[in-house]
Each structure stands twice: as structure tokens, then as C-alpha cells.
Amino acid sequence: MRLETVCVHAGEYLDAETGGVNSPIFTSTAYEYLGCEEPLYQRYFNTPNQEAVVEKLCALEGAEDGIVCASGMSAISTALLSFAQAGDHVVLQDDLYGGTHAFAERGFPRLGIDCTFAPCDPEGLQAALTDKTRVLYLETPTNPLLKIIDLRAMAEIAREAGVVTIVDNTFASPINQTPIPLGIDVVVHSGTKYLGGHSDLQCGAVLARRELMEQIREIATHFGGSLNAESCYLMERSMKTLSLRVERQTSNAMVIAQALSDLPQIGAVYYPGLPNHPGHDLAREQMKGFGAMLSFELADPTASAEDYMSRLQMIHPALSLGGVETKICAPATASHRTMDPEARRRIGISDQLLRLSVGIENTEDILSDLQQAMG
Ligand code: PLP
């Protein structure tokens, strides 16, 4: 099956009794177990609605197995703690989603896990690795500056050092990027974003080859962050339109990025689809599309990002991303607000930076709203 067909059909649970074309929602939290090799139980990640979603995700990501979790952070913390324990060292990219950064910075010390935030180019990674490093954690394109990390190169260095690689593939979605065929071990998602796609569902996923998933599943079962049947159904339903939505959002983002680049009120536009983006060539090689996230800076260094957002009429200033509606936020006061301001500026996040999650609306409407708010 090709991508669009996988989105619609992979994993579908055909209801032989009624001939219904959608998976029924299995509401049971108790299943008869006599004669069963492996009893079904929601927290064991093995009920029919969970398996329907996982099969679709595995087909999209090129993974053998997976679990669906109650949120992206549930997936991320479970994946990290499946391979790192007290005494171990973890290398994380220095430019990460704020929640993951906070978990490593403040949560790891309580668990006796040491970590280094490193620039993830080959030299930066080599310098950060120690003989205690067990995990390399990456995100590409990065949030919010859309830097592109060379996944093949990172996977090769990590493999030689015996380090498990985890990639947060939320920003690209499997429509635009599949890290596992590039050599990455584990993919995590905040399904709250593109997979759900309608800003009405919180979920996450961890995907990997079978042998790694055994270890992840055991830890995940202890943590108990599985997804309920109703949400699994919504996730499956949403993913049927994943390629349609993401392809449209991606082509919209290209139009918006180009148009913003020409405006005098805009200082810089960060979008890997623009030829002047430092990661453009790499993105062209490792991604199927450039994604639908972009960031831009207001040219006036005294301008207030909050004032700008308050003048928008259609675009919602809101946390989160990936929905069908265009959303905007200022990372300094949203995703990265808990980060030390000096460290934030060091990685290039100014107070004038705005991050746009491009939706499926008409690009002329999106652009005219962005422009009218510039005054
Ligand atoms: N990863 C990325 C890239 C994110 O942007 C987010 C949330 O914004 C998360 C993970 C966390 O996901 P969730 O809010 O579903 O826990």
C-alpha cells in the first residue's frame, strides 16, 4: 500500500458481524482470559483499538511495533527511561521542545541520570559522548528554529558507541520524514499535534523494532500511561486524513514562508524549504516534504510579540501545533518560558520570535491576517 492508502486502511479492524467500515470502539477494561496466551488489558497496550492505531503508525513509520500513550510527554518520558537509569548519561540536542528540556534538566537529577545538552552535529555529539552514555535524544526539524539534524550521521556515530537513538518526529510527521529507515532506533510522537490534527485530542506514541519495544513496553506498563479506547478511535479516525492534511499544510507553509521573506517588517524567516535556510540541502535529502512549521522574527527589536498576536483576527495565539487551523505563539513566553532567559537567547530564541503552525486554510487569508497585524 502507498502512503495515502496506508493512512486510510492500515490496521483497520473490520467488523465481521455488522460489515461496518470503521473500527468499533471496544469499551471494555476487562476481558475474559481463560485459554488466552496473553490476556488483553488496556494498560498492557494490547486491546483492539490500541492495536489498530499502532498498526497504522508502524506502517507509516517503518517500525515493527509500538504503543500509543496518553500524551507526547508520556511517550517521551517512557522512551527515555526505558534506556536510561541511575548512573547513566544521556545526550540531548541543545535545541529541544521545552517540556522535554525541562524533564531532562530537572527530572533527571532526581533519578540519578546525568545529561548533556549538545549541538547535534558530528563534532558536538562526539564531544558529548562518555562511556556512560546510553541514549541520544534528537528532534528535527527543531522547535522553534527549524534546524535540521543529520539523522543518518547521528545514528551511525551512536551505533558505533552502543547508544540508543530516539527521535521526536512530531514536527515532521511520518508524511514528511521517517527516521527509522534512516537508522534511528526509536521514534516518539506527540500525537496531540499532526496525528490528531484537530486540536481536540491528547495522545502520544513510541515506535521501534520489536526487540526494543519489549523493553519499552515493560516500562510503559509500570508507568501506566496507556491511551483509552475512545481516544484511540479518534486517533485512528484522524490519521485517515493525515497525508491530505499534512501535504496541504506543508504546501501552505512554503507559500507563507516565501511571502513573509519579502516583507520589510519581518527580520528573519526560519523554514527549511527556503533555499537560504542552512539546513535546506539536508532537509531536501532526508525529508519527503519541508513540514508546516515556520518561525519568523519581527524586524523591530522593540516590538512586542504579545501585542502583535493580540492584533490577529483569524489566527489563534495558542500553545500546541499541527491542527487544521493556523496557530501562533511566541516561544519565549510559551514552549520555552521555563528556560533560563540567558540560555534561551544563547540558542537563538529572541523575544521577537514567533512560531507559526500553518493550517489548511486558504494561504491568502492566512497572509492577510499576518500582514494586517503588522500595522
Ligand atoms: N514534542 C514536541 C515537539 C512538542 O511540541 C510537544 C508539545 O508541544 C510535545 C512533544 C509534548 O506533547 P504533549 O503535549 O502531547 O505531551
Side-chain angles (χ1 to χ4, degrees), residues 72-122:
M73 277 314 297
S74 168
I76 290 164
S77 53
T78 299
L80 279 165
L81 298 182
S82 295
F83 301 104
Q85 58 187 12
D88 289 345
H89 174 249
V90 175
V91 176
L92 302 104
Q93 192 175 303
D94 55 2
D95 188 2
L96 274 187
Y97 164 61
T100 309
H101 193 281
F103 173 56
E105 191 177 53
R106 299 210 283 281
F108 278 7
R110 304 180 61 218
L111 301 168
I113 300 169
D114 191 17
C115 72
T116 303
F117 294 98
C120 281
D121 49 46

Side-chain angles (χ1 to χ4, degrees), residues 54 58 63-67 206-210 213-214 217:
V54 164
C58 284
E64 287 177 355
D65 195 10
I67 53 171
V206 188
L207 303 144
R209 58 182 180 276
R210 207 157 276 120
M213 276 315 302
E214 265 173 41
R217 197 180 288 263

